[in-house]
Amino acid sequence: AQKITQTQPGMFVQEKEAVTLDCTYDTSDQSYGLFWYKQPSSGEMIFLIYQGSYDEQNATEGRYSLNFQKARKSANLVISASQLGDSAMYFCAMGDNAGNMLTFGGGTRLMVKP
Amino acid sequence: DVKVTQSSRYLVKRTGEKVFLECVQDMDHENMFWYRQDPGLGLRLIYFSYDVKMKEKGDIPEGYSVSREKKERFSLILESASTNQTSMYLCASSPTLGQMNTEAFFGQGTRLTVV
């Protein structure tokens, strides 16, 4: 079984600063994928970034980067230069090795202060 | 653009009612999912389907059933709604079996209240 743990229920960050959202995972699969989604107050889930378990480079997408440490089973999301529009819930998720089901963590609510 | 559409944003139903939540996707995706979202618990998978008429139980299938008669439509059914099924329900779809790097696309969610 797969498990995702997000230990930060809520976080504050000052506008324009960087912030790291923690995610640890547990799986017996050798191949898996890790995802981060953003959920604004409007409710839709927005895909941010993906990291494959065999990818040697950490994934980056604009201001988002994923700090992947396989030995520690962690996949932290780093948001650089925070903006007010980054205030939202953030979910870490893991896909199984068939690419089918996603297992989600409990989420972190990020609040960006002006 | 991929679009996943859930039939209702908000629903209020009475205890014991049969409730249908509908989800339609327009990109010919094979996989479709129903999740339930509760504060502090994240999203939990109720059921998923990888083909027409095929379904698999997720982590919390009790009290729910699903129907997938057409590829684009995946329905979640609460046979006899109870107050502990008050929650946000999210439908998602993803295109291809066996490709891990393909993200799921989500609908806007249905907030169901059972009174």
Side-chain angles (χ1 to χ4, degrees):
Chain A
Q2 299 178 324
K3 186 176 179 181
I4 296 281
T5 303
Q6 294 179 254
T7 57
Q8 307 151 314
M11 286 192 71
F12 284 96
V13 65
Q14 198 68 42
E15 191 179 9
K16 300 181 185 176
E17 291 186 352
V19 63
T20 298
L21 306 183
D22 293 342
C23 172
T24 57
Y25 61 90
D26 192 21
T27 182
S28 55
D29 291 339
Q30 295 301 308
S31 297
Y32 49 88
L34 294 155
F35 301 79
W36 277 92
Y37 283 84
K38 172 183 178 181
Q39 186 183 42
S41 57
S42 53
E44 76 271 28
M45 295 285 281
I46 302 168
F47 166 73
L48 296 179
I49 196 167
Y50 166 83
Q51 178 86 41
S53 58
Y54 287 112
D55 293 341
E56 294 183 354
Q57 303 264 12
N58 283 345
T60 60
E61 289 285 348
R63 293 187 299 111
Y64 305 107
S65 60
L66 204 152
N67 183 2
F68 181 48
Q69 298 187 41
K70 194 170 182 178
R72 298 179 65 179
K73 294 190 174 180
S74 73
N76 299 338
L77 177 70
V78 180
I79 305 175
S80 63
S82 297
Q83 301 172 357
L84 295 178
D86 294 334
S87 294
M89 284 291 291
Y90 288 82
F91 290 97
C92 180
M94 169 182 282
D96 66 6
N97 60 7
N100 295 334
M101 294 190 292
L102 287 176
T103 300
F104 284 82
T108 296
R109 181 170 295 283
L110 177 67
M111 291 152 281
V112 181
K113 296 185 289 185
Chain B
D1 272 357
V2 174
K3 194 159 186 182
V4 180
T5 304
Q6 295 181 229
S7 53
S8 305
R9 286 299 301 271
Y10 300 95
L11 275 179
V12 180
K13 296 292 181 181
R14 294 193 181 278
T15 300
E17 277 194 75
K18 189 169 186 176
V19 181
F20 292 86
L21 302 184
E22 306 287 349
C23 176
V24 177
Q25 50 95 1
D26 65 0
M27 283 299 291
D28 202 35
H29 286 176
E30 293 166 338
N31 297 339
M32 295 189 75
F33 309 83
W34 274 106
Y35 289 91
R36 171 178 170 157
Q37 182 180 3
D38 299 289
L41 298 177
L43 280 71
R44 293 178 291 167
L45 182 66
I46 305 172
Y47 269 96
F48 88 99
S49 168
Y50 54 89
D51 201 354
V52 175
K53 296 191 186 294
M54 305 303 290
K55 61 185 179 185
E56 294 284 344
K57 292 180 180 179
D59 298 320
I60 51 163
E62 297 78 18
Y64 304 94
S65 63
V66 290
S67 172
R68 193 162 180 205
E69 296 297 319
K70 294 184 178 181
K71 191 174 186 179
E72 67 270 20
R73 186 180 296 270
F74 191 37
S75 303
L76 180 70
I77 304 155
L78 287 67
E79 295 289 341
S80 177
S82 63
T83 54
N84 62 13
Q85 293 178 309
T86 292
S87 188
M88 170 75 91
Y89 291 87
L90 288 161
C91 175
S93 71
S94 66
T96 310
L97 293 175
Q99 290 192 5
M100 289 188 301
N101 62 345
T102 308
E103 76 268 26
F105 297 85
F106 284 81
Q108 76 276 32
T110 297
R111 188 167 293 282
L112 172 67
T113 302
V114 183
V115 298

